[in-house]
Amino acid sequence: MKTRSQTAPKPLKTVALAPRPRPKPSGKGDARAPKKPPTAFFYFMEDFRKTYKQENPSVKTMQEIGKACGEKWNTMTFEEKVKYYDIATEKRAEFEKAMVEYNKKKESGDMSEESD
């Protein structure tokens, strides 16, 4: 007769879990809606990318450029960043005006005609 330590252990009874329901992706929204403007950091990144590529032509990957950009942004003073915050604020104001007009058209049901 075999002892308990000599026999193979019985497999555990496992209960299969039901798959979790995934949330359905919401629609992208209306394609005619105004696009949200970038933040101040993205305006800075545009300028930084140009100068960084000129100073470092050997650097090709966006990852390296992005890291350098982030490090520079974090070490900048507020006074240096103000220029980019001003641009972002102007663009944000334009966006909000466009959204007000868009919502008025949407509420009136006059979305068939496009401006521009």
Side-chain angles (χ1 to χ4, degrees), residues 36-46 73 84-85 87-89:
K36 204 174 216 182
T39 63
F41 176 72
F42 285 95
Y43 290 111
F44 165 72
M45 193 165 32
E46 283 179 30
W73 179 259
Y84 302 104
Y85 284 121
I87 294 169
T89 304

Side-chain angles (χ1 to χ4, degrees), residues 47-66:
D47 289 346
F48 181 81
R49 203 179 301 141
K50 292 173 191 170
T51 58
Y52 190 78
K53 282 183 178 181
Q54 289 173 353
E55 294 169 3
N56 304 297
S58 62
V59 176
K60 299 289 184 195
T61 64
M62 281 301 296
Q63 183 179 9
E64 291 178 42
I65 296 170

Side-chain angles (χ1 to χ4, degrees), residues 2 14 24 26-27 30-33 41 44 49-50 54 63 65 69 76-77 87 97-98 105 108 110:
K2 293 183 179 180
T14 58
K24 294 182 180 177
S26 60
D30 192 351
R32 294 173 288 203
F41 176 72
F44 165 72
R49 203 179 301 141
K50 292 173 191 170
Q54 289 173 353
Q63 183 179 9
I65 296 170
C69 185
M76 288 172 64
T77 63
I87 294 169
K97 285 180 187 175
K105 284 184 180 179
S108 69
D110 191 22

Side-chain angles (χ1 to χ4, degrees), residues 1 13 30 58 77 79 91 96 107:
M1 180 191 248
K13 291 182 181 178
D30 192 351
S58 62
T77 63
E79 289 77 24
K91 298 293 183 180
E96 289 178 1
E107 287 174 5

